[in-house]
Amino acid sequence: MGVFLARRIAQGLVVVGLVATIVFLLIHAAPGDPFSASMDNPSISDAVRASWRRAYGLDRPLTEQYARYVVSVFRGDLGFSFSLQRPVVSALGDALPNTLLLMAAGLIGGFAAGVGAAVTQVRRRGGAADRILGGLSLTFFSVPDFWLALIILVAFAYWIPIFPIGGAADPVMYDMLGTGARLLDRLEHLVLPALTLTLLYFPLIARHQRAALLDAIPSDYVTTARAKGVPESAVINRHVLRNALLPVITLLGVAFPALLTGAVFVEKVFSWPGMGLLIVNAIQSRDYPLLVASVILASVFVVIGSIIADVLYRWLDPRMRDEL
């Protein structure tokens, strides 16, 4: 297991390095820079803009900027945010816990709802429950993430106003609340963005899980279990579901980028102060260091998700221990 993890981590570092390099080159190749917006301000002279570019090293050749950035990353310095006027590490440190909380809630909710819907569909395949859940799965699978977020925002703002519709905490009362009340306040603000991610992600899990369950049911061990008189619910939950989880486990590796992509729009709609909102603002302000660091962090998520999926795969299927 140690050699396997070391090999996968080494491969992941190469992937992260390639992603960071490509993003750095692409964003610097785009026309303009973070100070282009100041061109509309006649009170800012060309000399002032040139001094800003000189101060941030943007007047240096691209290769030199890249070399400086690589050296600073290895020193643990991800740069200084132009738009936020603070170190990038500090900005990411504030946003990352909120995004991890949101992604964890969406991931757990998506997997629980997806697996539960698939098991229900298989138990009642061909029936009304199977068709209804299949229709819901197809509907949410087809809905754009920003559109679903807006529908939920409008619904809970006007029709069912029981949860806060923006932010991660009450901006007025939060500092005056006790520990328990603060936790409850955070959970209430988490409900709507987490619900949106859950509804966006559960159809993918449900469709793959249902197909995997249907593939596993004709197996010999299922026939043997039924012949021994094992109840159908126990056959599905105890024998079929564990073997049918393997294809779904592989989705965990792609869940992180999918959730992060969905979180970008969800956080923007619900003003959730996480990585997604940070990335959108960094793109709008052409904040090179903040944007590159955010992409590096997102690629790290992908690598971690892939490694977790491989470890779970080896744990669930001993046959894969010699192949992975």
Side-chain angles (χ1 to χ4, degrees), residues 234-254:
V235 171
I236 297 295
N237 295 334
R238 191 182 306 164
H239 300 283
V240 178
L241 183 57
R242 175 167 178 165
N243 292 282
L245 278 175
L246 290 177
V248 179
I249 291 297
T250 59
L251 292 176
L252 186 64
V254 299

Side-chain angles (χ1 to χ4, degrees), residues 283-296:
I283 293 173
Q284 291 174 341
S285 59
R286 300 291 298 274
D287 194 334
Y288 297 156
L290 186 56
L291 183 55
V292 176
S294 300
V295 173
I296 291 176

Side-chain angles (χ1 to χ4, degrees), residues 6-67:
R7 187 171 68 247
R8 297 292 288 117
I9 291 173
Q11 293 171 346
L13 290 177
V14 172
V15 171
V16 171
L18 287 175
V19 170
T21 301
I22 292 173
V23 171
F24 185 92
L25 296 177
L26 286 178
I27 192 172
H28 281 78
D33 60 34
F35 307 113
S36 297
S38 64
M39 298 287 289
D40 299 332
N41 189 343
S43 63
I44 301 177
S45 65
D46 292 339
V48 172
R49 281 189 287 271
S51 67
W52 287 347
R53 293 189 177 97
R54 203 163 40 246
Y56 288 104
L58 298 178
D59 61 333
R60 310 305 301 172
L62 185 58
T63 53
E64 183 177 338
Q65 292 184 49
Y66 177 71

Side-chain angles (χ1 to χ4, degrees), residues 141-173:
F141 191 73
S142 308
V143 173
D145 44 15
F146 67 91
W147 195 55
L148 178 61
L150 288 174
I151 290 176
I152 292 179
L153 178 69
V154 172
F156 282 89
Y158 293 102
W159 303 328
I160 320 171
I162 56 176
F163 293 113
I165 58 172
D170 191 306
V172 178
M173 300 298 295

Side-chain angles (χ1 to χ4, degrees), residues 167-196:
D170 191 306
V172 178
M173 300 298 295
Y174 185 77
D175 291 336
M176 294 180 279
L177 299 175
T179 303
R182 286 187 179 187
L183 179 61
L184 180 61
D185 182 62
R186 292 274 289 175
L187 290 176
E188 287 178 346
H189 283 78
L190 176 65
V191 168
L192 296 187
L195 174 64
T196 306

Side-chain angles (χ1 to χ4, degrees), residues 118 141 202-213 244 247-248 250-251:
F141 191 73
F202 108 87
L204 181 66
I205 299 297
R207 294 167 72 86
H208 280 78
Q209 185 66 83
R210 184 179 183 276
L213 287 170
V248 179
T250 59
L251 292 176

Side-chain angles (χ1 to χ4, degrees), residues 264-319:
V264 170
F265 297 101
V266 172
E267 290 181 3
K268 185 66 176 177
V269 171
F270 291 100
S271 300
W272 183 262
M275 292 286 300
L277 191 59
L278 204 66
I279 291 173
V280 172
N281 293 335
I283 293 173
Q284 291 174 341
S285 59
R286 300 291 298 274
D287 194 334
Y288 297 156
L290 186 56
L291 183 55
V292 176
S294 300
V295 173
I296 291 176
L297 200 56
S299 60
V300 170
F301 283 157
V302 177
V303 170
I304 292 175
S306 176
I307 293 175
I308 292 175
D310 286 346
V311 171
L312 290 175
Y313 219 104
R314 287 166 59 95
W315 175 62
L316 288 170
D317 190 351
R319 296 173 300 177

